[in-house]
Amino acid sequence: MKTTRILASLSLLLCAQAWAGTQTWITNVKLVSPEKLDRIEAGSVLIEDERIVRVVRGAGGKAPAGARRVDGKGQFLTPGLIDSHVHLFSVPGMSFEQADQKQTMAAEYFAQMPRSFLYYGYTTVIDLAAGSREFIDRVKAAPLHPDVYDCGAPLVFANGYPSSYAPPETRFDMFSNFIYDPAQADKIPARFKPEDYTPAKGVARVKADHGICVKTHFEHGFGTMHNLPVMSPAVYGEVRAAASRDNLVLVTHGNSFEAQTFAVNGGADVLAHGMWHWGEMDKEKELPPAIKQLLDKIAARKIGYQATMQVLHGLNAYFEPAYLNHPALPKLLPPSMLAWLQTPEGQWFKQEIAEDETDAAVLKGMEAPLRRQRQVVAYLAGKDANFVFGTDTPSSPTYGNIPGLNGYLEMQDLHQAGLSLAQLFKAATINNARTFKIDAQVGTIEAGKVANLVLMKMSPLADIRAYDSVQTVWVRGKETPRDSLAVGGR
């Protein structure tokens, strides 16, 4: 009997050892976690498989037997960064038609794209308009990629933005998750029945597609379109109610005072852009009282605010020759694509932006919107608003929004506009995680969280350049040196 018990115990011990996951002990680092910014101190982190299982602060703590030891050399360990506004399906600098015509080039870009986010420490991204589930699944199947969450197909208002930019004959197939508008019955194909395209049905489709958020829009248009239909407060209220029932985050695109007023009054969780259009107040040099009152509500209600300053800077890239000579671009774009972007064909979008104006005139015209945007950001920063870091990468067919680099440039924009380094760090970690309800998984360095981590040479609380001093990235416990994430890296 005694022998039997011993054999049974040995069997259980061997099974336990077989079941135990691979362990990594990251030590000799300074821990920088947003929930403990008052405790930037030496420490160690134990990873088992995909999770953090122990965090040791101070000099104590020993690596468990058998754990692989990683010496952080006194550098700074942070949670992985989160970009909560990306569009993975778009190729910067290419129209969808060009991407179809240049399939080899597009395929090379898509193979590198997830690695480019990781190169700058973005271990989690949220796609706000995941039109293709098959494509999102392909990104998730890549050997190295950030964690990807999404809002499913955007919930658009019939014939409104952005579906209005698609041809009428294909619009409702391309943007199939739309809200039926009885006033436009003659402009909606008869095969689409009103009862199937209610706000509640649209939200339910996002939920069924495993989205974590619902993306809506309040946009009258720009360029040649200025009178696009938008949803009424009553319709938006139905969307809000349905999103609450399904525990989905309600995100609304709107870059104007009118749009953000609409969304705030309707109970939006996240505003997906900064406010660079002030409407009738555009000519005001100082922040008008009416805008301050709205911003006070945004700050007080802790509405997530994605300033997306690189939307405008990304357009300016066509008129600033130095952009394509940025030293990071050869590390983030395949050589064939980078070369093509510098050809006349690759410059096609410049003509659409310029509309026959000179480069100097275009840049001059951008000064006022950028000033207004900076003023809004500075005011909200002074109120310690709930900034959630998002880049809108790419915001349009511009090559000025390259994955990874666009995030680093956005961080510089925000810091120059008035966000402190601590505010910026929280925006890209804990604020994003909490606002998008993924904080049980990511956003801090705590036991139980997914092991998405970044090792930097510099502290992100000391210098904005820290975000370009990444040494090593862990995604779900898998360690990758930064150099191997660049084009041609191994």
Side-chain angles (χ1 to χ4, degrees):
M1 183 68 74
K2 183 177 180 180
T3 303
T4 302
R5 285 199 300 269
I6 291 171
L7 290 172
S9 297
L10 284 171
S11 177
L12 288 171
L13 178 60
L14 289 170
C15 287
Q17 289 175 338
W19 293 333
T22 302
Q23 292 189 324
T24 300
W25 177 252
I26 306 172
T27 192
N28 190 21
V29 293
K30 295 183 179 70
L31 300 174
V32 187
S33 193
E35 86 288 7
K36 291 183 182 292
L37 291 187
D38 58 334
R39 293 187 63 187
I40 310 303
E41 57 192 334
S44 303
V45 173
L46 178 64
I47 298 172
E48 185 171 306
D49 295 330
E50 296 187 348
R51 297 269 169 183
I52 298 169
V53 294
R54 181 154 48 108
V55 178
V56 177
R57 291 182 173 272
K62 281 182 60 177
R68 190 174 71 86
R69 186 178 185 276
V70 176
D71 186 346
K73 300 178 181 178
Q75 298 182 110
F76 299 86
L77 190 70
T78 78
L81 306 178
I82 304 168
D83 187 338
S84 61
H85 192 158
V86 303
H87 300 289
L88 300 176
F89 191 62
S90 300
V91 181
M94 285 189 180
S95 66
F96 288 116
E97 291 77 14
Q98 286 174 320
D100 285 340
Q101 294 163 6
K102 301 180 181 301
Q103 292 184 12
T104 299
M105 190 182 297
E108 291 175 345
Y109 165 78
F110 284 130
Q112 173 60 32
M113 175 262 290
R115 302 163 68 94
S116 294
F117 280 112
L118 294 175
Y119 185 86
Y120 279 94
Y122 295 99
T123 60
T124 300
V125 297
I126 304 176
D127 193 319
L128 294 193
S132 169
R133 178 60 51 198
E134 183 271 337
F135 178 80
I136 294 291
D137 289 342
R138 270 198 284 143
V139 175
K140 291 180 178 180
L144 288 170
H145 62 87
D147 282 348
V148 179
Y149 296 89
D150 65 80
C151 291
L155 182 57
V156 303
F157 195 65
N159 293 306
Y161 179 86
S163 69
S164 52
Y165 289 89
E169 59 271 17
T170 60
R171 180 174 301 167
F172 293 93
D173 294 311
M174 291 179 64
F175 294 89
S176 58
N177 196 25
F178 71 93
I179 296 173
Y180 196 98
D181 178 18
Q184 300 185 67
D186 60 331
K187 298 177 182 176
I188 302 173
R191 68 180 186 277
F192 297 104
K193 304 304 179 186
E195 61 271 20
D196 295 329
Y197 295 91
T198 64
K201 290 284 182 69
V203 172
R205 277 189 279 270
V206 172
K207 181 72 171 181
D209 199 27
H210 307 292
I212 65 167
C213 43
V214 178
K215 173 73 177 295
T216 58
H217 310 80
F218 189 97
E219 176 66 71
H220 288 299
F222 42 83
T224 59
M225 298 185 185
H226 293 281
N227 297 298
L228 300 178
V230 295
M231 64 182 76
S232 67
V235 170
Y236 191 78
E238 292 182 51
V239 176
R240 171 69 277 176
S244 296
R245 283 195 300 271
D246 285 338
N247 194 33
L248 299 177
V249 177
L250 178 56
V251 181
T252 297
H253 160 105
N255 51 46
S256 67
F257 173 66
E258 178 190 14
Q260 295 196 4
T261 299
F262 174 89
V264 169
N265 290 341
D269 296 313
V270 175
L271 298 174
H273 287 293
M275 188 196 304
W276 53 84
H277 293 304
W278 293 358
E280 295 178 354
M281 297 174 281
D282 265 356
K283 293 183 179 179
E284 297 288 333
K285 300 299 182 186
E286 302 299 326
L287 206 57
I291 292 180
K292 288 182 180 179
Q293 290 172 10
L294 177 63
L295 299 179
D296 287 342
K297 290 181 182 178
I298 291 170
R301 297 178 188 177
K302 297 296 182 185
I303 296 170
Y305 204 83
Q306 295 178 337
T308 63
M309 299 186 76
Q310 275 298 117
V311 169
L312 300 183
H313 286 294
L315 298 176
N316 280 355
Y318 283 90
F319 310 95
E320 297 170 339
Y323 180 82
L324 284 180
N325 294 323
H326 194 290
L329 290 182
K331 301 174 183 178
L332 306 173
L333 293 177
S336 61
M337 181 175 174
L338 185 54
W340 178 79
L341 291 175
Q342 301 183 61
T343 67
E345 184 184 15
Q347 297 278 315
W348 70 277
F349 192 53
K350 178 178 181 177
Q351 303 307 315
E352 295 200 10
I353 303 168
E355 296 180 347
D356 298 324
E357 290 188 318
T358 65
D359 290 8
V362 173
L363 291 172
K364 182 69 175 177
M366 283 290 194
E367 289 179 0
L370 283 166
R371 171 186 56 78
R372 292 192 289 267
Q373 191 179 33
R374 286 191 294 266
Q375 287 173 285
V376 168
V377 168
Y379 187 86
L380 287 172
K383 297 287 181 178
D384 199 24
N386 181 29
F387 282 94
V388 290
F389 186 84
T391 59
D392 197 4
T393 298
S395 59
S396 62
T398 175
Y399 60 51
N401 296 153
I402 301 302
L405 176 61
N406 206 44
Y408 182 49
L409 296 176
E410 178 80 19
M411 288 184 163
Q412 295 177 65
D413 297 336
L414 290 169
H415 187 44
Q416 291 167 6
L419 262 72
S420 70
L421 291 172
Q423 286 176 315
L424 186 55
F425 181 62
K426 290 171 69 175
T429 54
I430 197 169
N431 289 4
N432 255 336
R434 287 175 174 170
T435 301
F436 282 91
K437 302 179 182 179
I438 54 176
D439 52 312
Q441 304 297 320
V442 294
T444 59
I445 303 176
E446 295 181 275
K449 298 288 180 77
V450 170
N452 287 358
L453 301 165
V454 179
L455 186 65
M456 303 179 184
K457 284 184 180 179
M458 305 165 67
S459 169
L461 302 180
D463 196 315
I464 193 69
R465 292 174 299 173
Y467 294 103
D468 196 22
S469 73
V470 173
Q471 293 296 289
T472 308
V473 177
W474 285 266
V475 181
R476 294 191 169 264
K478 184 174 182 179
E479 175 186 348
T480 307
R482 188 194 202 193
D483 288 346
S484 70
L485 294 165
V487 170
R490 290 289 183 269

